[in-house]
Amino acid sequence: MRRIPIILFIVLIISCKNKVNNSSPIEVASVSISTNDSNEFYKKQLENALVQTNFMLKVAEKVNKIPRTVSNDGEIHWINNEFDWTEGFFPGILWYLYEFSNDKKYLQAADKFQRSFEEHKKFTENHDLGFIFNSSYGNGFRLLEKENYKEVLITAANSLITRFNSEVGCIKSWNVDKGWQSKRNWQFPVIIDNMMNLELLFKASEITGDEKFKNVAISHANTTLKNHFRDDFSSFHVVDYDPITGNVRSKQTAQGYSDDSSWARGQAWAVYGFTVCYRFTKDEKYLHQAEKIADFIMNYNGFPEDGIPYWDYNAPNIPNEPRDVSAATVTISALLELDTFSSKDYSSYTDKVFASLASQNYTAKLGENNNFILKHSVGSIPHDNEIDVPLNYADYYYLEALLRKIKK
Ligand code: GLY
Protein backbone atom coordinates (compact mmCIF):
# COMPACT_ATOMS: atom_id res chain seq x y z
CA MET A 1 0.00 0.00 0.00
CA ARG A 2 1.28 3.46 -0.82
CA ARG A 3 0.41 6.64 0.99
CA ILE A 4 0.47 10.11 -0.49
CA PRO A 5 2.61 12.44 1.61
CA ILE A 6 -0.08 14.12 3.68
CA ILE A 7 1.26 17.69 3.40
CA LEU A 8 1.51 17.47 -0.37
CA PHE A 9 -2.02 16.12 -0.50
CA ILE A 10 -3.45 18.89 1.70
CA VAL A 11 -1.67 21.58 -0.30
CA LEU A 12 -2.98 20.05 -3.50
CA ILE A 13 -6.55 19.90 -2.24
CA ILE A 14 -6.50 23.48 -0.91
CA SER A 15 -4.96 24.92 -4.05
CA CYS A 16 -7.36 22.99 -6.27
CA LYS A 17 -10.35 24.14 -4.27
CA ASN A 18 -9.34 27.76 -4.54
CA LYS A 19 -8.53 27.62 -8.20
CA VAL A 20 -11.62 25.62 -9.17
CA ASN A 21 -13.82 28.08 -7.29
CA ASN A 22 -12.21 30.86 -9.28
CA SER A 23 -12.84 28.85 -12.45
CA SER A 24 -9.14 28.86 -13.14
CA PRO A 25 -7.96 25.36 -12.38
CA ILE A 26 -4.32 24.67 -11.63
CA GLU A 27 -2.06 22.81 -14.00
CA VAL A 28 -0.93 19.59 -12.42
CA ALA A 29 0.22 17.91 -15.57
CA SER A 30 3.59 18.36 -17.20
CA VAL A 31 4.98 16.80 -20.34
CA SER A 32 8.64 16.47 -19.54
CA ILE A 33 9.76 13.47 -17.52
CA SER A 34 13.33 13.62 -16.29
CA THR A 35 14.95 10.39 -15.20
CA ASN A 36 15.59 11.52 -11.61
CA ASP A 37 12.05 12.38 -10.71
CA SER A 38 10.16 10.01 -12.97
CA ASN A 39 8.38 8.17 -10.15
CA GLU A 40 7.35 11.54 -8.73
CA PHE A 41 5.93 12.44 -12.14
CA TYR A 42 3.69 9.33 -12.18
CA LYS A 43 2.66 9.83 -8.55
CA LYS A 44 1.74 13.40 -9.39
CA GLN A 45 -0.59 12.13 -12.13
CA LEU A 46 -2.16 9.76 -9.62
CA GLU A 47 -2.60 12.58 -7.11
CA ASN A 48 -4.20 14.69 -9.82
CA ALA A 49 -6.53 11.80 -10.66
CA LEU A 50 -7.39 11.39 -7.01
CA VAL A 51 -8.44 15.02 -6.63
CA GLN A 52 -10.45 14.95 -9.85
CA THR A 53 -12.17 11.70 -8.86
CA ASN A 54 -13.06 13.22 -5.51
CA PHE A 55 -15.06 15.83 -7.38
CA MET A 56 -16.70 13.06 -9.43
CA LEU A 57 -17.41 10.99 -6.33
CA LYS A 58 -19.28 13.84 -4.66
CA VAL A 59 -21.62 14.17 -7.64
CA ALA A 60 -22.00 10.41 -8.10
CA GLU A 61 -22.90 9.95 -4.43
CA LYS A 62 -25.52 12.65 -4.71
CA VAL A 63 -27.32 10.93 -7.60
CA ASN A 64 -26.24 7.45 -6.45
CA LYS A 65 -25.31 6.40 -9.97
CA ILE A 66 -22.26 5.31 -11.91
CA PRO A 67 -20.81 7.77 -14.46
CA ARG A 68 -20.01 6.44 -17.93
CA THR A 69 -19.28 9.40 -20.21
CA VAL A 70 -20.56 12.84 -21.24
CA SER A 71 -23.67 13.03 -23.43
CA ASN A 72 -24.28 15.37 -26.37
CA ASP A 73 -26.03 17.82 -24.03
CA GLY A 74 -22.79 18.21 -22.07
CA GLU A 75 -24.13 16.40 -19.00
CA ILE A 76 -22.80 13.22 -17.44
CA HIS A 77 -24.31 10.03 -18.86
CA TRP A 78 -25.20 8.09 -15.72
CA ILE A 79 -25.82 4.34 -15.83
CA ASN A 80 -29.41 3.70 -14.77
CA ASN A 81 -29.32 0.18 -13.31
CA GLU A 82 -29.35 -1.41 -16.77
CA PHE A 83 -26.68 -4.01 -17.62
CA ASP A 84 -23.91 -1.82 -19.04
CA TRP A 85 -20.50 -3.15 -20.03
CA THR A 86 -18.81 -0.11 -18.46
CA GLU A 87 -20.48 -0.25 -15.04
CA GLY A 88 -17.53 -1.97 -13.34
CA PHE A 89 -15.00 0.70 -14.21
CA PHE A 90 -16.07 3.41 -11.77
CA PRO A 91 -15.83 1.08 -8.75
CA GLY A 92 -12.58 -0.14 -10.33
CA ILE A 93 -11.23 3.42 -10.35
CA LEU A 94 -12.16 3.71 -6.68
CA TRP A 95 -10.37 0.43 -5.88
CA TYR A 96 -7.23 1.74 -7.58
CA LEU A 97 -7.45 4.99 -5.62
CA TYR A 98 -7.88 3.01 -2.42
CA GLU A 99 -4.79 0.99 -3.34
CA PHE A 100 -2.85 4.19 -3.98
CA SER A 101 -4.00 6.23 -1.00
CA ASN A 102 -5.01 3.58 1.57
CA ASP A 103 -7.97 5.84 2.32
CA LYS A 104 -10.95 3.70 3.32
CA LYS A 105 -13.33 6.25 1.85
CA TYR A 106 -12.56 4.81 -1.59
CA LEU A 107 -12.97 1.23 -0.40
CA GLN A 108 -16.40 2.02 1.01
CA ALA A 109 -17.49 3.85 -2.13
CA ALA A 110 -16.19 1.07 -4.41
CA ASP A 111 -18.06 -1.51 -2.36
CA LYS A 112 -21.28 0.52 -2.45
CA PHE A 113 -21.24 1.24 -6.18
CA GLN A 114 -20.39 -2.32 -7.19
CA ARG A 115 -23.17 -3.70 -5.00
CA SER A 116 -25.61 -1.67 -7.11
CA PHE A 117 -25.06 -4.09 -10.01
CA GLU A 118 -24.19 -7.28 -8.14
CA GLU A 119 -27.29 -9.06 -9.50
CA HIS A 120 -25.91 -8.73 -13.03
CA LYS A 121 -23.62 -11.64 -12.10
CA LYS A 122 -26.49 -13.87 -13.30
CA PHE A 123 -26.84 -12.16 -16.67
CA THR A 124 -26.22 -14.47 -19.63
CA GLU A 125 -27.37 -12.35 -22.59
CA ASN A 126 -23.93 -11.13 -23.67
CA HIS A 127 -20.25 -11.60 -22.93
CA ASP A 128 -19.44 -8.47 -20.93
CA LEU A 129 -19.33 -10.12 -17.49
CA GLY A 130 -15.54 -10.18 -17.51
CA PHE A 131 -15.25 -6.45 -18.17
CA ILE A 132 -17.79 -5.69 -15.46
CA PHE A 133 -16.83 -8.04 -12.67
CA ASN A 134 -13.08 -8.23 -13.10
CA SER A 135 -12.66 -4.45 -12.90
CA SER A 136 -14.90 -4.15 -9.83
CA TYR A 137 -15.20 -7.27 -7.67
CA GLY A 138 -11.95 -8.62 -9.16
CA ASN A 139 -9.97 -5.68 -7.82
CA GLY A 140 -11.92 -5.76 -4.56
CA PHE A 141 -11.09 -9.44 -4.09
CA ARG A 142 -7.42 -8.87 -4.97
CA LEU A 143 -7.18 -6.23 -2.24
CA LEU A 144 -9.49 -7.58 0.47
CA GLU A 145 -10.03 -11.30 -0.26
CA LYS A 146 -13.63 -11.06 0.94
CA GLU A 147 -15.69 -14.26 0.69
CA ASN A 148 -18.75 -12.58 -0.79
CA TYR A 149 -16.63 -10.95 -3.52
CA LYS A 150 -15.35 -14.42 -4.37
CA GLU A 151 -18.90 -15.74 -4.69
CA VAL A 152 -19.82 -12.90 -7.07
CA LEU A 153 -16.79 -13.61 -9.27
CA ILE A 154 -17.56 -17.33 -9.47
CA THR A 155 -21.25 -16.76 -10.26
CA ALA A 156 -20.31 -14.25 -12.99
CA ALA A 157 -17.77 -16.71 -14.45
CA ASN A 158 -20.41 -19.46 -14.50
CA SER A 159 -22.79 -17.11 -16.32
CA LEU A 160 -20.11 -16.23 -18.86
CA ILE A 161 -19.27 -19.83 -19.75
CA THR A 162 -22.93 -20.57 -20.58
CA ARG A 163 -22.12 -18.72 -23.81
CA PHE A 164 -19.33 -21.11 -24.78
CA ASN A 165 -19.87 -23.32 -27.84
CA SER A 166 -17.46 -26.24 -28.07
CA GLU A 167 -17.90 -26.59 -31.86
CA VAL A 168 -16.75 -23.03 -32.34
CA GLY A 169 -14.35 -23.09 -29.42
CA CYS A 170 -15.40 -19.60 -28.33
CA ILE A 171 -17.71 -17.62 -26.09
CA LYS A 172 -20.41 -15.89 -28.15
CA SER A 173 -20.07 -12.12 -27.76
CA TRP A 174 -23.45 -10.81 -28.82
CA ASN A 175 -26.91 -12.28 -29.30
CA VAL A 176 -28.29 -11.70 -32.79
CA ASP A 177 -32.03 -11.76 -32.22
CA LYS A 178 -32.52 -8.05 -31.53
CA GLY A 179 -31.00 -4.58 -31.73
CA TRP A 180 -28.51 -3.47 -34.36
CA GLN A 181 -26.72 -6.83 -34.18
CA SER A 182 -29.81 -8.54 -35.63
CA LYS A 183 -29.32 -6.57 -38.88
CA ARG A 184 -25.87 -7.93 -39.67
CA ASN A 185 -26.76 -11.51 -40.66
CA TRP A 186 -24.43 -12.91 -37.99
CA GLN A 187 -24.98 -16.26 -36.30
CA PHE A 188 -22.26 -16.46 -33.67
CA PRO A 189 -20.29 -13.18 -33.54
CA VAL A 190 -17.08 -13.10 -31.55
CA ILE A 191 -15.38 -9.73 -31.11
CA ILE A 192 -11.74 -9.17 -30.26
CA ASP A 193 -12.89 -7.31 -27.12
CA ASN A 194 -13.97 -10.70 -25.77
CA MET A 195 -10.32 -11.48 -24.97
CA MET A 196 -10.79 -9.10 -22.02
CA ASN A 197 -13.37 -11.39 -20.44
CA LEU A 198 -10.91 -14.26 -20.06
CA GLU A 199 -9.15 -12.84 -16.98
CA LEU A 200 -12.32 -13.45 -14.97
CA LEU A 201 -12.27 -17.12 -16.07
CA PHE A 202 -8.60 -17.65 -15.24
CA LYS A 203 -9.20 -16.10 -11.82
CA ALA A 204 -12.29 -18.25 -11.23
CA SER A 205 -10.20 -21.39 -11.84
CA GLU A 206 -7.49 -20.10 -9.52
CA ILE A 207 -10.02 -19.36 -6.76
CA THR A 208 -12.04 -22.58 -7.06
CA GLY A 209 -9.44 -25.05 -8.31
CA ASP A 210 -11.98 -25.99 -11.01
CA GLU A 211 -10.27 -26.08 -14.41
CA LYS A 212 -13.50 -25.72 -16.42
CA PHE A 213 -13.23 -21.91 -16.49
CA LYS A 214 -9.59 -21.93 -17.55
CA ASN A 215 -10.29 -24.53 -20.24
CA VAL A 216 -12.93 -22.29 -21.80
CA ALA A 217 -10.52 -19.32 -21.66
CA ILE A 218 -7.74 -21.31 -23.35
CA SER A 219 -10.05 -22.62 -26.07
CA HIS A 220 -11.36 -19.10 -26.71
CA ALA A 221 -7.83 -17.66 -26.85
CA ASN A 222 -6.58 -20.39 -29.22
CA THR A 223 -9.53 -19.99 -31.58
CA THR A 224 -9.14 -16.21 -31.54
CA LEU A 225 -5.43 -16.49 -32.19
CA LYS A 226 -6.18 -18.67 -35.21
CA ASN A 227 -8.97 -16.65 -36.80
CA HIS A 228 -8.90 -13.05 -35.66
CA PHE A 229 -5.52 -11.87 -36.97
CA ARG A 230 -4.10 -10.78 -40.29
CA ASP A 231 -0.57 -11.57 -41.43
CA ASP A 232 0.71 -8.30 -39.94
CA PHE A 233 -0.86 -9.22 -36.53
CA SER A 234 -3.53 -6.55 -36.76
CA SER A 235 -6.92 -7.78 -35.63
CA PHE A 236 -10.32 -7.98 -37.27
CA HIS A 237 -13.04 -6.73 -34.99
CA VAL A 238 -15.79 -9.34 -35.51
CA VAL A 239 -15.40 -12.97 -36.59
CA ASP A 240 -18.74 -14.65 -37.20
CA TYR A 241 -18.91 -18.44 -36.84
CA ASP A 242 -21.34 -21.14 -37.85
CA PRO A 243 -22.50 -22.45 -34.47
CA ILE A 244 -23.17 -25.95 -35.88
CA THR A 245 -19.94 -26.59 -37.79
CA GLY A 246 -17.67 -24.08 -36.07
CA ASN A 247 -16.56 -22.73 -39.46
CA VAL A 248 -15.76 -19.04 -39.94
CA ARG A 249 -18.58 -17.32 -41.85
CA SER A 250 -17.14 -13.81 -42.14
CA LYS A 251 -14.60 -11.36 -40.77
CA GLN A 252 -16.01 -7.87 -40.35
CA THR A 253 -16.18 -4.79 -38.19
CA ALA A 254 -18.76 -3.22 -35.93
CA GLN A 255 -16.93 -0.30 -34.35
CA GLY A 256 -14.08 0.19 -36.82
CA TYR A 257 -13.93 2.10 -40.09
CA SER A 258 -14.10 -0.94 -42.38
CA ASP A 259 -13.83 -4.72 -42.31
CA ASP A 260 -10.19 -4.46 -43.38
CA SER A 261 -9.18 -1.60 -41.11
CA SER A 262 -7.56 -1.69 -37.69
CA TRP A 263 -9.94 -0.33 -35.07
CA ALA A 264 -7.66 1.21 -32.46
CA ARG A 265 -9.30 -0.13 -29.30
CA GLY A 266 -9.52 -3.57 -30.85
CA GLN A 267 -5.73 -3.68 -31.21
CA ALA A 268 -5.47 -2.59 -27.57
CA TRP A 269 -7.86 -5.30 -26.33
CA ALA A 270 -5.87 -7.84 -28.32
CA VAL A 271 -2.45 -7.06 -26.83
CA TYR A 272 -3.94 -6.80 -23.34
CA GLY A 273 -5.85 -10.08 -23.69
CA PHE A 274 -2.94 -12.19 -24.89
CA THR A 275 -0.66 -10.71 -22.23
CA VAL A 276 -3.16 -11.84 -19.58
CA CYS A 277 -3.32 -15.31 -21.17
CA TYR A 278 0.46 -15.55 -20.83
CA ARG A 279 0.30 -14.38 -17.20
CA PHE A 280 -1.96 -17.29 -16.26
CA THR A 281 -0.66 -20.07 -18.53
CA LYS A 282 2.99 -19.23 -19.28
CA ASP A 283 2.27 -20.62 -22.76
CA GLU A 284 4.91 -19.06 -25.05
CA LYS A 285 2.52 -18.77 -27.99
CA TYR A 286 0.50 -16.15 -26.12
CA LEU A 287 3.65 -14.19 -25.29
CA HIS A 288 4.70 -14.34 -28.93
CA GLN A 289 1.24 -13.17 -30.04
CA ALA A 290 1.23 -10.27 -27.57
CA GLU A 291 4.71 -9.20 -28.68
CA LYS A 292 3.72 -9.29 -32.34
CA ILE A 293 0.56 -7.26 -31.72
CA ALA A 294 2.63 -4.77 -29.72
CA ASP A 295 5.09 -4.52 -32.63
CA PHE A 296 2.21 -3.84 -35.00
CA ILE A 297 0.86 -1.08 -32.74
CA MET A 298 4.19 0.58 -31.97
CA ASN A 299 5.54 0.48 -35.52
CA TYR A 300 2.37 1.48 -37.30
CA ASN A 301 3.28 3.91 -40.04
CA GLY A 302 1.00 6.89 -39.70
CA PHE A 303 0.61 6.79 -35.94
CA PRO A 304 0.50 10.34 -34.53
CA GLU A 305 3.77 11.65 -33.06
CA ASP A 306 2.35 11.81 -29.54
CA GLY A 307 1.43 8.10 -29.54
CA ILE A 308 -2.33 8.64 -29.04
CA PRO A 309 -4.01 6.75 -31.89
CA TYR A 310 -6.77 7.89 -34.15
CA TRP A 311 -9.94 5.91 -33.40
CA ASP A 312 -9.09 3.65 -36.35
CA TYR A 313 -5.60 3.38 -37.81
CA ASN A 314 -7.13 3.56 -41.29
CA ALA A 315 -9.77 6.20 -40.67
CA PRO A 316 -10.39 8.03 -43.94
CA ASN A 317 -9.62 11.65 -43.01
CA ILE A 318 -6.46 11.35 -40.95
CA PRO A 319 -5.15 13.73 -39.55
CA ASN A 320 -8.64 15.18 -39.17
CA GLU A 321 -10.05 12.26 -37.21
CA PRO A 322 -10.78 11.93 -33.49
CA ARG A 323 -8.15 10.33 -31.30
CA ASP A 324 -9.06 7.50 -28.96
CA VAL A 325 -7.41 7.99 -25.58
CA SER A 326 -9.06 4.81 -24.27
CA ALA A 327 -7.08 2.77 -26.83
CA ALA A 328 -3.91 4.45 -25.60
CA THR A 329 -4.53 3.75 -21.91
CA VAL A 330 -5.48 0.10 -22.48
CA THR A 331 -2.36 -0.35 -24.61
CA ILE A 332 0.13 1.15 -22.17
CA SER A 333 -1.34 -0.80 -19.27
CA ALA A 334 -0.92 -3.99 -21.33
CA LEU A 335 2.62 -3.09 -22.41
CA LEU A 336 3.68 -2.41 -18.83
CA GLU A 337 2.70 -5.98 -17.95
CA LEU A 338 4.13 -7.40 -21.18
CA ASP A 339 7.40 -5.66 -20.36
CA THR A 340 7.70 -7.83 -17.23
CA PHE A 341 7.50 -11.04 -19.33
CA SER A 342 9.27 -10.10 -22.54
CA SER A 343 12.93 -9.65 -23.40
CA LYS A 344 11.84 -6.58 -25.36
CA ASP A 345 11.77 -3.14 -23.75
CA TYR A 346 8.52 -1.23 -24.07
CA SER A 347 9.40 1.61 -21.72
CA SER A 348 10.33 4.30 -24.23
CA TYR A 349 6.96 3.81 -25.95
CA THR A 350 4.94 3.77 -22.72
CA ASP A 351 6.84 6.77 -21.31
CA LYS A 352 6.08 8.75 -24.43
CA VAL A 353 2.37 7.94 -24.22
CA PHE A 354 2.29 8.73 -20.49
CA ALA A 355 3.88 12.12 -21.18
CA SER A 356 1.29 12.88 -23.85
CA LEU A 357 -1.60 11.78 -21.65
CA ALA A 358 -0.40 13.96 -18.79
CA SER A 359 -0.32 17.06 -20.99
CA GLN A 360 -3.21 19.48 -21.10
CA ASN A 361 -4.09 18.05 -24.50
CA TYR A 362 -5.52 14.99 -22.77
CA THR A 363 -5.62 15.48 -18.99
CA ALA A 364 -8.51 17.67 -17.96
CA LYS A 365 -8.01 20.64 -15.70
CA LEU A 366 -9.27 19.90 -12.23
CA GLY A 367 -12.98 20.46 -11.93
CA GLU A 368 -13.46 20.49 -15.72
CA ASN A 369 -14.38 17.70 -18.18
CA ASN A 370 -17.38 16.80 -15.95
CA ASN A 371 -14.75 15.54 -13.49
CA PHE A 372 -13.47 12.73 -15.69
CA ILE A 373 -9.67 12.52 -15.71
CA LEU A 374 -8.95 12.23 -19.43
CA LYS A 375 -10.47 13.83 -22.52
CA HIS A 376 -10.75 12.69 -26.15
CA SER A 377 -11.93 9.10 -26.33
CA VAL A 378 -14.27 7.43 -28.79
CA GLY A 379 -17.00 4.88 -28.07
CA SER A 380 -18.26 3.99 -31.54
CA ILE A 381 -18.15 6.20 -34.61
CA PRO A 382 -20.20 3.85 -36.86
CA HIS A 383 -22.97 4.03 -34.24
CA ASP A 384 -22.52 7.81 -33.98
CA ASN A 385 -22.05 7.29 -30.27
CA GLU A 386 -19.59 8.84 -27.80
CA ILE A 387 -17.31 10.70 -30.17
CA ASP A 388 -14.46 12.71 -28.66
CA VAL A 389 -15.65 12.39 -25.08
CA PRO A 390 -14.30 11.23 -21.74
CA LEU A 391 -14.99 7.57 -20.96
CA ASN A 392 -14.83 5.87 -17.56
CA TYR A 393 -12.76 2.99 -18.96
CA ALA A 394 -10.13 5.33 -20.42
CA ASP A 395 -9.65 6.64 -16.88
CA TYR A 396 -9.70 3.15 -15.35
CA TYR A 397 -6.91 1.77 -17.55
CA TYR A 398 -4.93 4.99 -17.06
CA LEU A 399 -4.98 4.52 -13.29
CA GLU A 400 -4.10 0.84 -13.72
CA ALA A 401 -1.17 1.82 -15.92
CA LEU A 402 0.04 4.51 -13.50
CA LEU A 403 -0.08 2.04 -10.60
CA ARG A 404 1.76 -0.56 -12.66
CA LYS A 405 4.38 2.06 -13.47
CA ILE A 406 5.08 3.17 -9.89
CA LYS A 407 5.19 -0.45 -8.68
CA LYS A 408 7.94 -1.32 -11.19
N1 GLY B 1 -17.05 -3.60 -26.34
C1 GLY B 1 -16.11 -2.79 -25.74
C2 GLY B 1 -15.63 -1.65 -26.57
O1 GLY B 1 -16.43 -0.87 -27.06
O2 GLY B 1 -14.45 -1.52 -26.72
Side-chain angles (χ1 to χ4, degrees), residues 49 54 89 130 154 182 186 194 216 231 272 279 295 306 324 342 359 401:
N54 262 303
F89 294 116
I154 297 165
S182 64
W186 290 325
N194 206 339
V216 167
D231 290 346
Y272 194 114
R279 184 204 310 161
D295 286 347
D306 66 2
D324 183 10
S342 173
S359 76

Side-chain angles (χ1 to χ4, degrees), residues 188-223:
F188 192 102
V190 177
I191 61 175
I192 190 64
D193 325 28
N194 206 339
M195 287 299 298
M196 297 299 286
N197 292 313
L198 305 186
E199 188 167 354
L200 174 69
L201 300 182
F202 285 119
K203 280 186 184 162
S205 275
E206 239 177 35
I207 294 169
T208 60
D210 187 338
E211 300 260 297
K212 72 178 177 185
F213 305 106
K214 183 178 166 183
N215 291 340
V216 167
I218 288 172
S219 171
H220 186 98
N222 292 345
T223 310

